[in-house]
Amino acid sequence: MEIEIKLKQLLKERNIKQYQLSEMTGLTTRTISELVNNQIERIPKQAICKIAVALNVEDIREIIDFKK
């Protein structure tokens, strides 16, 4: 099993661009891009929390989950 970051799908569903999420969260566009493209080895908890707040996500599984 591995961890899947489902941010690309979430942004598409909400019609939000990566740069917009960067502005909403204060995170760099690089961090957002790495998360969206699953190119990050260590998932920063603070970044996930900021994204959850910005997107009004109450269940973290909307952002990250296990991939079988």
Side-chain angles (χ1 to χ4, degrees):
M1 276 209 284
E2 62 185 79
I3 293 175
E4 175 185 23
I5 302 170
K6 304 187 303 186
L7 195 52
K8 181 183 273 187
Q9 176 184 340
L10 191 58
L11 291 178
K12 186 176 181 179
E13 289 171 2
R14 296 177 184 215
N15 199 27
I16 297 173
K17 305 289 183 197
Q18 291 183 33
Y19 77 88
Q20 292 173 307
L21 183 60
S22 174
E23 291 173 355
M24 294 165 67
T25 60
L27 298 170
T28 65
T29 52
R30 178 180 176 171
T31 298
I32 299 294
S33 177
E34 288 176 347
L35 287 166
V36 165
N37 294 301
N38 280 298
Q39 295 178 332
I40 198 161
E41 287 296 318
R42 296 177 189 217
I43 302 170
K45 292 189 295 184
Q46 189 176 33
I48 297 299
C49 288
K50 286 181 179 184
I51 291 168
V53 169
L55 299 179
N56 199 27
V57 171
E58 294 184 12
D59 187 346
I60 194 147
R61 292 175 291 180
E62 289 184 54
I63 301 172
I64 61 173
D65 208 348
F66 285 113
K67 180 179 178 181
K68 295 181 182 181

